[in-house]
Amino acid sequence: MNPRTAGLLLFVSLISPSTAANVLVNGEFEDPVFVLNGSFQSFASIPGWDPFGSAVAVYLSKPGHGIGTWPNGGAEGSSQFADVGNAPNTGIQQTFTLGSELVAPTLSWFDATSDRVASGLITVSSYVVTLRNGSDQVLVSQSYGTDSKVWTQRSLPGIPTLAAGTYTLSFEATSGERQKDLLLDSVSLIPEPGSTLLLGLGSALLLRRRRA
């Protein structure tokens, strides 16, 4: 590899992290920070997120919520996370606007629940993740389930390149009564790193050819 090509690769590797910023707001559920009063606190809305369906609030939790053993803080090492609940047609959503297309986006998050097992209590916490465009058309949707008190990373496959426009991402609980609450943390939507690198490299090589 000649020095110029090596320099281009280094340049792309340096700029790619800045182009892969999370397009979602408050994906770690750290805003607002609240003083623990009991086991959780509910909000009509929080920055970036709103309830939908039969939900009346967005819940932020800290260790100690409910009965049983719950995750010791958030997935990213903080103390707060979202408690979506377990009732069908209850969830949280975020509407975001892209000023330019998002190439090969990757949506990832962490889920968890408690380890509480009691008579009549189903251990699985199930939910659906859905991405819609500005016309309310479903672009991709998939069901998930968790039965672990340990934070587990998930992802939503099959997301196409998103053109400039408005989109809504939602997490809807589907478990129902006598099942455990869905906990969410570290929700992130970014361009796929490999695609970002290739796009950056292609632009750099094209610029080099024009200068040659």
CSV table of all heavy atoms in Angstrom, one decimal, residues 13-41:
chain,number,residue,atom,x,y,z
A,13,SER,N,-10.9,6.5,8.5
A,13,SER,CA,-11.1,5.9,9.8
A,13,SER,C,-11.3,7.0,10.9
A,13,SER,O,-12.0,6.8,11.9
A,13,SER,CB,-10.0,5.0,10.2
A,13,SER,OG,-8.8,5.8,10.4
A,14,LEU,N,-10.7,8.2,10.7
A,14,LEU,CA,-10.8,9.2,11.7
A,14,LEU,C,-12.2,9.9,11.6
A,14,LEU,O,-12.7,10.4,12.6
A,14,LEU,CB,-9.7,10.2,11.5
A,14,LEU,CG,-8.3,9.7,11.9
A,14,LEU,CD1,-7.2,10.8,11.6
A,14,LEU,CD2,-8.2,9.4,13.4
A,15,ILE,N,-12.7,10.1,10.4
A,15,ILE,CA,-13.9,10.8,10.2
A,15,ILE,C,-15.2,10.0,10.4
A,15,ILE,O,-16.2,10.5,10.7
A,15,ILE,CB,-14.0,11.5,8.8
A,15,ILE,CG1,-14.1,10.5,7.7
A,15,ILE,CG2,-12.8,12.5,8.6
A,15,ILE,CD1,-14.4,11.1,6.3
A,16,SER,N,-15.1,8.6,10.2
A,16,SER,CA,-16.3,7.8,10.2
A,16,SER,C,-17.0,7.8,11.6
A,16,SER,O,-18.2,7.8,11.6
A,16,SER,CB,-15.9,6.3,9.8
A,16,SER,OG,-14.9,5.8,10.6
A,17,PRO,N,-16.3,7.9,12.7
A,17,PRO,CA,-17.1,7.9,14.0
A,17,PRO,C,-18.0,9.1,14.1
A,17,PRO,O,-19.1,9.0,14.6
A,17,PRO,CB,-16.0,7.9,15.1
A,17,PRO,CG,-14.8,7.3,14.4
A,17,PRO,CD,-14.9,7.7,13.0
A,18,SER,N,-17.6,10.3,13.6
A,18,SER,CA,-18.4,11.4,13.7
A,18,SER,C,-19.6,11.4,12.7
A,18,SER,O,-20.6,12.1,13.0
A,18,SER,CB,-17.5,12.7,13.3
A,18,SER,OG,-17.1,12.6,12.0
A,19,THR,N,-19.5,10.6,11.7
A,19,THR,CA,-20.6,10.5,10.8
A,19,THR,C,-21.6,9.4,11.2
A,19,THR,O,-22.6,9.1,10.5
A,19,THR,CB,-20.1,10.2,9.3
A,19,THR,OG1,-19.4,8.9,9.3
A,19,THR,CG2,-19.3,11.3,8.9
A,20,ALA,N,-21.3,8.6,12.3
A,20,ALA,CA,-22.1,7.6,12.7
A,20,ALA,C,-22.8,7.9,14.1
A,20,ALA,O,-23.0,7.1,14.9
A,20,ALA,CB,-21.3,6.3,12.9
A,21,ALA,N,-23.1,9.2,14.2
A,21,ALA,CA,-23.8,9.6,15.5
A,21,ALA,C,-25.2,9.1,15.6
A,21,ALA,O,-25.9,8.9,14.5
A,21,ALA,CB,-23.8,11.1,15.6
A,22,ASN,N,-25.6,8.8,16.8
A,22,ASN,CA,-27.0,8.4,17.0
A,22,ASN,C,-28.0,9.4,16.6
A,22,ASN,O,-27.9,10.6,17.0
A,22,ASN,CB,-27.2,8.0,18.5
A,22,ASN,CG,-28.5,7.3,18.8
A,22,ASN,OD1,-29.3,7.0,17.9
A,22,ASN,ND2,-28.7,7.1,20.1
A,23,VAL,N,-28.9,9.1,15.7
A,23,VAL,CA,-29.9,10.1,15.3
A,23,VAL,C,-31.1,10.2,16.2
A,23,VAL,O,-31.9,11.1,16.1
A,23,VAL,CB,-30.5,9.7,13.9
A,23,VAL,CG1,-29.4,9.6,12.9
A,23,VAL,CG2,-31.3,8.4,13.9
A,24,LEU,N,-31.2,9.3,17.2
A,24,LEU,CA,-32.2,9.3,18.2
A,24,LEU,C,-31.8,10.2,19.4
A,24,LEU,O,-30.6,10.3,19.7
A,24,LEU,CB,-32.5,7.9,18.7
A,24,LEU,CG,-33.0,6.9,17.6
A,24,LEU,CD1,-33.2,5.5,18.2
A,24,LEU,CD2,-34.3,7.4,17.0
A,25,VAL,N,-32.8,10.7,20.1
A,25,VAL,CA,-32.5,11.6,21.2
A,25,VAL,C,-32.8,10.8,22.5
A,25,VAL,O,-33.8,10.1,22.6
A,25,VAL,CB,-33.4,12.9,21.2
A,25,VAL,CG1,-33.3,13.7,22.4
A,25,VAL,CG2,-33.1,13.6,19.9
A,26,ASN,N,-31.9,11.0,23.5
A,26,ASN,CA,-32.1,10.4,24.8
A,26,ASN,C,-32.3,8.9,24.8
A,26,ASN,O,-33.2,8.4,25.5
A,26,ASN,CB,-33.3,11.1,25.5
A,26,ASN,CG,-33.4,11.0,27.0
A,26,ASN,OD1,-32.3,10.7,27.6
A,26,ASN,ND2,-34.5,11.1,27.6
A,27,GLY,N,-31.5,8.3,23.9
A,27,GLY,CA,-31.6,6.8,23.8
A,27,GLY,C,-31.2,6.1,25.0
A,27,GLY,O,-31.5,4.9,25.2
A,28,GLU,N,-30.5,6.7,26.0
A,28,GLU,CA,-30.0,6.1,27.2
A,28,GLU,C,-30.9,6.4,28.4
A,28,GLU,O,-30.7,6.0,29.5
A,28,GLU,CB,-28.6,6.5,27.5
A,28,GLU,CG,-27.6,6.0,26.4
A,28,GLU,CD,-26.2,6.5,26.6
A,28,GLU,OE1,-26.0,7.4,27.5
A,28,GLU,OE2,-25.3,6.0,25.9
A,29,PHE,N,-32.0,7.2,28.1
A,29,PHE,CA,-33.0,7.5,29.1
A,29,PHE,C,-32.4,8.2,30.4
A,29,PHE,O,-32.8,7.9,31.5
A,29,PHE,CB,-33.8,6.3,29.5
A,29,PHE,CG,-34.4,5.6,28.3
A,29,PHE,CD1,-33.9,4.5,27.7
A,29,PHE,CD2,-35.6,6.2,27.7
A,29,PHE,CE1,-34.5,3.9,26.6
A,29,PHE,CE2,-36.2,5.6,26.6
A,29,PHE,CZ,-35.6,4.5,26.1
A,30,GLU,N,-31.4,9.1,30.2
A,30,GLU,CA,-30.8,9.7,31.3
A,30,GLU,C,-31.3,11.1,31.5
A,30,GLU,O,-30.9,11.8,32.4
A,30,GLU,CB,-29.3,9.8,31.1
A,30,GLU,CG,-28.6,8.4,31.1
A,30,GLU,CD,-28.8,7.7,32.4
A,30,GLU,OE1,-28.5,8.2,33.4
A,30,GLU,OE2,-29.4,6.6,32.3
A,31,ASP,N,-32.2,11.6,30.7
A,31,ASP,CA,-32.8,12.9,30.8
A,31,ASP,C,-34.3,12.9,30.9
A,31,ASP,O,-35.0,12.3,30.0
A,31,ASP,CB,-32.4,13.8,29.6
A,31,ASP,CG,-32.8,15.2,29.7
A,31,ASP,OD1,-33.2,15.7,30.8
A,31,ASP,OD2,-32.7,15.9,28.6
A,32,PRO,N,-34.9,13.3,32.0
A,32,PRO,CA,-34.2,14.0,33.1
A,32,PRO,C,-33.6,13.0,34.2
A,32,PRO,O,-34.1,11.9,34.3
A,32,PRO,CB,-35.4,14.8,33.8
A,32,PRO,CG,-36.6,13.9,33.5
A,32,PRO,CD,-36.3,13.3,32.2
A,33,VAL,N,-32.6,13.5,34.9
A,33,VAL,CA,-32.1,12.7,36.0
A,33,VAL,C,-33.0,13.0,37.2
A,33,VAL,O,-33.3,14.2,37.4
A,33,VAL,CB,-30.6,13.1,36.3
A,33,VAL,CG1,-30.1,12.5,37.6
A,33,VAL,CG2,-29.8,12.8,35.1
A,34,PHE,N,-33.4,12.0,37.9
A,34,PHE,CA,-34.3,12.3,39.1
A,34,PHE,C,-33.8,11.6,40.3
A,34,PHE,O,-33.0,10.6,40.2
A,34,PHE,CB,-35.7,11.8,38.8
A,34,PHE,CG,-35.9,10.3,38.6
A,34,PHE,CD1,-36.2,9.5,39.6
A,34,PHE,CD2,-35.7,9.7,37.3
A,34,PHE,CE1,-36.3,8.1,39.5
A,34,PHE,CE2,-35.8,8.3,37.1
A,34,PHE,CZ,-36.1,7.5,38.2
A,35,VAL,N,-34.1,12.2,41.4
A,35,VAL,CA,-33.7,11.6,42.7
A,35,VAL,C,-34.7,10.4,43.0
A,35,VAL,O,-35.9,10.6,42.9
A,35,VAL,CB,-33.8,12.7,43.8
A,35,VAL,CG1,-33.5,12.0,45.2
A,35,VAL,CG2,-32.9,13.8,43.5
A,36,LEU,N,-34.1,9.3,43.4
A,36,LEU,CA,-34.9,8.1,43.6
A,36,LEU,C,-35.9,8.3,44.7
A,36,LEU,O,-35.5,8.6,45.8
A,36,LEU,CB,-34.0,6.9,43.9
A,36,LEU,CG,-34.7,5.6,44.1
A,36,LEU,CD1,-35.4,5.2,42.8
A,36,LEU,CD2,-33.6,4.5,44.5
A,37,ASN,N,-37.2,8.2,44.4
A,37,ASN,CA,-38.2,8.3,45.4
A,37,ASN,C,-39.1,7.1,45.2
A,37,ASN,O,-40.0,7.0,44.4
A,37,ASN,CB,-39.1,9.6,45.1
A,37,ASN,CG,-40.2,9.7,46.1
A,37,ASN,OD1,-40.2,9.1,47.1
A,37,ASN,ND2,-41.2,10.5,45.7
A,38,GLY,N,-38.8,6.0,46.0
A,38,GLY,CA,-39.4,4.8,45.8
A,38,GLY,C,-38.6,4.0,44.8
A,38,GLY,O,-37.4,3.9,44.9
A,39,SER,N,-39.2,3.4,43.8
A,39,SER,CA,-38.5,2.5,42.9
A,39,SER,C,-38.5,3.1,41.5
A,39,SER,O,-37.7,2.6,40.6
A,39,SER,CB,-39.1,1.1,42.9
A,39,SER,OG,-40.5,1.2,42.5
A,40,PHE,N,-39.4,4.0,41.1
A,40,PHE,CA,-39.5,4.6,39.8
A,40,PHE,C,-40.2,5.9,39.8
A,40,PHE,O,-40.8,6.2,40.8
A,40,PHE,CB,-40.1,3.6,38.8
A,40,PHE,CG,-41.6,3.3,39.1
A,40,PHE,CD1,-42.5,4.2,38.5
A,40,PHE,CD2,-42.0,2.3,39.9
A,40,PHE,CE1,-43.9,3.9,38.7
A,40,PHE,CE2,-43.3,2.1,40.1
A,40,PHE,CZ,-44.3,2.9,39.5
A,41,GLN,N,-40.1,6.6,38.7
A,41,GLN,CA,-40.9,7.8,38.6
A,41,GLN,C,-41.4,7.9,37.2
A,41,GLN,O,-40.8,7.5,36.2
A,41,GLN,CB,-40.0,9.0,38.8
A,41,GLN,CG,-40.7,10.4,38.8
A,41,GLN,CD,-39.8,11.5,39.3
A,41,GLN,OE1,-38.9,11.3,40.0
A,41,GLN,NE2,-40.1,12.7,38.9
